[in-house]
């Protein structure tokens, strides 16, 4: 693992945000008079851009989907942000990677303002040079656009940079920007989803990911 620069997805890669995201989606849907009692049926909202998820899952027009996103944020920014859990072993891994002299970034489709607060609240922001997310107006929710922006802003060499994430969007974003991608199987993307994108690496567990950097 020769990579100097490591880009980490947030949801499903560094933390398990299942409760906060699904409850906030449930709240937003109820505001639109769409009632979904089973939180497990909303887990596919973890990872992809929210607007597209609302549009595709519930066949909403864009304006109506934005209403859902805004209702979601009303709850998420107050409560859902903190209904989260850092995966066991992540803090140790990040500290070791920094000790090895690597440069770490977060690359998430979540709005930057939320990503920074999560990293601050759970105490792992100190490991990262910078946190890159989307804007509240939807700019850079697409991982291809986000990673391109990050590379340009930081002046990173794609050949010396690895994207690590749990969904296909992370791997597609990496590939289309000339980066290698590593899929992790302990998050919310299935093995089939991740291997279907032919990543340079696949780590079924956090132990496997950590072991690759020993």
């Amino acid at each position: 693992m020769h990579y100097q620069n490591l880009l980490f997805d947030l949801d499903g890669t560094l933390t398990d945000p299942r409760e906060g995201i699904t409850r906030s989606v449930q709240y937003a849907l109820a505001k639109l008079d769409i009632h979904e009692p089973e939180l497990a049926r909303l887990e596919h909202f973890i990872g992809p851009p929210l607007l597209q998820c609302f549009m595709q899952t519930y066949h909403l027009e864009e304006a109506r989907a934005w209403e859902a996103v805004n209702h979601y944020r009303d709850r998420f920014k107050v409560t859902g942000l903190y209904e989260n859990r850092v995966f066991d072993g992540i803090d140790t891994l990040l500290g070791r990677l920094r000790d090895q002299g690597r440069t770490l970034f977060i690359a998430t489709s979540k709005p930057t303002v939320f990503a920074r607060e999560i990293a601050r609240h759970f105490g792992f922001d100190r490991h990262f040079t910078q946190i890159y997310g989307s804007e509240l107006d939807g700019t850079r929710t697409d991982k291809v656009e986000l990673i391109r922006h990050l590379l340009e802003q930081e002046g990173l060499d794609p050949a010396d940079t690895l994207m690590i994430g749990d969904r296909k969007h992370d791997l597609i974003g990496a590939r289309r920007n000339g980066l290698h991608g590593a899929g992790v199987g302990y998050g919310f993307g299935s093995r089939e989803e991740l291997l279907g994108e032919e990543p340079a690496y696949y780590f079924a567990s956090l132990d496997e990911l950590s072991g690759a950097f020993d």
Side-chain angles (χ1 to χ4, degrees):
M1 294 300 237
H2 65 278
Y3 308 95
Q4 171 62 40
N5 312 304
L6 302 177
L7 315 184
F8 283 87
D9 174 48
L10 178 57
D11 294 339
T13 303
L14 298 175
T15 73
D16 180 350
R18 185 190 323 253
E19 181 180 0
I21 289 179
T22 57
R23 289 191 182 280
S24 297
V25 171
Q26 185 185 56
Y27 172 86
L29 291 172
K31 288 290 189 179
L32 301 187
D33 203 27
I34 301 171
H35 301 284
E36 178 49 75
E38 298 294 332
L39 291 177
R41 295 182 62 179
L42 302 175
E43 289 183 5
H44 67 281
F45 276 85
I46 303 172
L50 273 178
L51 182 70
Q52 284 75 20
C53 243
F54 278 120
M55 291 176 68
Q56 293 167 8
T57 304
Y58 295 98
H59 310 292
L60 302 178
E61 297 293 333
E62 185 171 348
R64 190 70 165 155
W66 269 116
E67 289 182 35
V69 169
N70 289 328
H71 289 311
Y72 170 95
R73 289 173 176 170
D74 287 343
R75 184 187 186 280
F76 189 78
K77 67 186 179 183
V78 175
T79 305
L81 276 172
Y82 309 108
E83 296 171 326
N84 207 335
R85 180 180 68 84
V86 181
F87 286 119
D88 294 339
I90 280 293
D91 197 69
T92 299
L93 171 61
L94 296 176
R96 191 167 81 251
L97 294 173
R98 283 187 66 205
D99 289 344
Q100 292 173 355
R102 303 179 197 266
T103 309
L104 312 184
F105 300 90
I106 290 177
T108 174
S109 61
K110 185 183 294 302
T112 304
V113 63
F114 295 157
R116 286 178 175 164
E117 173 58 14
I118 290 168
R120 182 207 64 79
H121 178 77
F122 290 98
F124 56 84
D125 57 336
R126 69 189 188 281
H127 297 300
F128 293 94
T129 296
Q130 191 57 269
I131 296 172
Y132 284 85
S134 63
E135 302 298 327
L136 291 171
D137 66 0
T139 303
R140 290 191 293 278
T141 54
D142 181 84
K143 274 289 173 71
V144 177
E145 182 185 4
L146 175 71
I147 293 173
R148 181 181 302 121
H149 175 72
L150 190 160
L151 294 174
E152 291 173 352
Q153 290 295 115
E154 298 293 335
L156 303 185
D157 179 358
D160 205 19
T161 305
L162 178 69
M163 177 71 210
I164 302 167
D166 71 310
R167 298 301 305 269
K168 66 181 181 180
H169 313 82
D170 303 305
L171 303 177
I172 293 169
R175 184 176 63 250
R176 289 181 57 183
N177 282 287
L179 278 63
H180 281 166
V184 296
Y186 57 82
F188 293 91
S190 69
R191 177 184 176 89
E192 292 72 25
E193 174 184 325
L194 294 169
L195 292 182
E197 300 302 329
E198 301 182 347
Y201 309 95
Y202 174 77
F203 302 110
S205 66
L206 184 51
D207 283 345
E208 286 187 17
L209 172 63
S210 183
F213 289 97
D214 283 345

